[in-house]
Amino acid sequence: MKYCPILNYGDSEINALSNTYKDIQKFKPQDQLLPILELPRKTKKESFDKKMKTQGSYLQKKIGANKVVIDFSDSYQNFVFEDIVKYVNDTYAILTDGSVNFIPMVHYDDKEELINALSILEPSEVWIRFTPHLFQSAVDKIIINGTIPELSKLFKNSKISYVADFYQDVADINRITDFLALLHPEHNNVILSLTSCPQNADMAVPESFTNVGPRTDLAIFKKELEIFPDLVFSDYTVRLKPEPTTEEKRQINLSNTYFKIFYSTDTSYFIGKSSMIKLINDGSAKVSSNDLCSLIVSSPNYDGSDYSSADKEIMEISKGKKEIKDHKTPIRIGINHHMVKTIHQL
């Protein structure tokens, strides 16, 4: 069964993905894992263009021939593309020239010019992303019935799959079922995306390994699978928020933050949290990054060093062979472990 995690486009996520492909070789990763990548988020078009120039070859180097879904929506950017057609054509060409094996995706409410530009390229397959967490249930039927016929005409030569992205809106299970029913009668290629992972580690107790909540997301999917047997699962792994921009990073005092490792079990989300980094730096911390990983390793919820690249790294850090020196390392560890865990469960 395929698993389609939604990943922000950052070094931690791409490296976690690369490690996951290595970890699941015995599962035939091309059959099990089909990640959705959101394009880099930038505040200026110049920054986006500079980043994208190398992304075709970069992605191919990291993930090889494995297929990915690329979200072409411009809704993530903090600027407006003056020429949306050029943006679509250039991005498509960069990925194609870099030999990236990709399926393009757009949102149902993206700009008409963006959707039209992609349809003109006639991809063999395209994904359409609905975001019901952003609108009221009263308009579910209106939105689906008002957009699918037009999108089907535009992409008449493409195989179309539909993503129902509920994000953290998981309280109303009946709405999820009804929304899927609206998509499902004529369209069997439906992906359910949702998450019950906390957005941040605020609720986790410092200097501990804390259970921060159940994996309601996977439980809901398994329940929906009984109704829609060919449904595909998608979530946000353990990284809901994108990497801060350069400007945002300048405003963060890293000394007053903690090292945090999100660790998924079969039924729950756990977070390991160190002492404050400034205490680690001056040597007065009760729980350093090494101690943090020791807490995880000594827990009955630890899956063992052979489970994934992330679990091996946790063990090495716990033994003092490595150290966590930045926030990218815990993010990579958490995402890698979560993806391997979810693939095992599915």
Side-chain angles (χ1 to χ4, degrees), residues 72 88-89 92 102 104-106 113-123 126-127 155:
F72 272 66
V88 171
N89 290 338
Y92 202 94
F102 74 99
M105 178 166 75
V106 292
E113 302 97 308
L114 189 153
I115 296 175
N116 287 340
L118 186 60
S119 71
I120 290 169
L121 295 171
E122 295 191 333
V126 66
W127 285 25
F155 294 103

Side-chain angles (χ1 to χ4, degrees), residues 191-210:
I191 300 93
L192 173 61
S193 183
L194 69 173
T195 182
S196 56
C197 180
Q199 275 200 349
N200 53 52
D202 290 353
M203 65 177 68
V205 180
E207 303 171 347
S208 71
F209 186 49
T210 310

Side-chain angles (χ1 to χ4, degrees), residues 284-324:
S284 63
K286 290 182 180 178
V287 177
S288 64
S289 64
N290 306 99
D291 299 326
L292 167 60
C293 290
S294 293
L295 286 175
I296 297 173
V297 167
S298 62
S299 166
N301 294 293
Y302 177 60
D303 285 313
S305 59
D306 294 332
Y307 192 78
S308 69
S309 299
D311 288 279
K312 180 181 179 182
E313 192 166 4
I314 289 171
M315 178 64 78
E316 290 175 343
I317 296 170
S318 75
K319 292 181 176 180
K321 295 179 180 179
K322 286 186 175 182
E323 234 179 318
I324 298 175

Side-chain angles (χ1 to χ4, degrees), residues 22 24 27 41 66 125 160 164 178 207 233 275-276 303:
K22 296 172 187 174
I24 62 170
F27 295 113
R41 303 171 188 235
N66 292 297
E125 187 172 356
I160 304 177
D178 291 344
E207 303 171 347
F233 180 61
S275 299
M276 198 171 285
D303 285 313

Side-chain angles (χ1 to χ4, degrees), residues 213-228:
R215 290 188 68 188
T216 309
D217 39 24
L218 193 58
I220 290 174
F221 168 74
K222 289 183 176 180
K223 186 173 180 63
E224 297 296 345
L225 199 60
E226 297 174 5
I227 306 171
F228 311 102

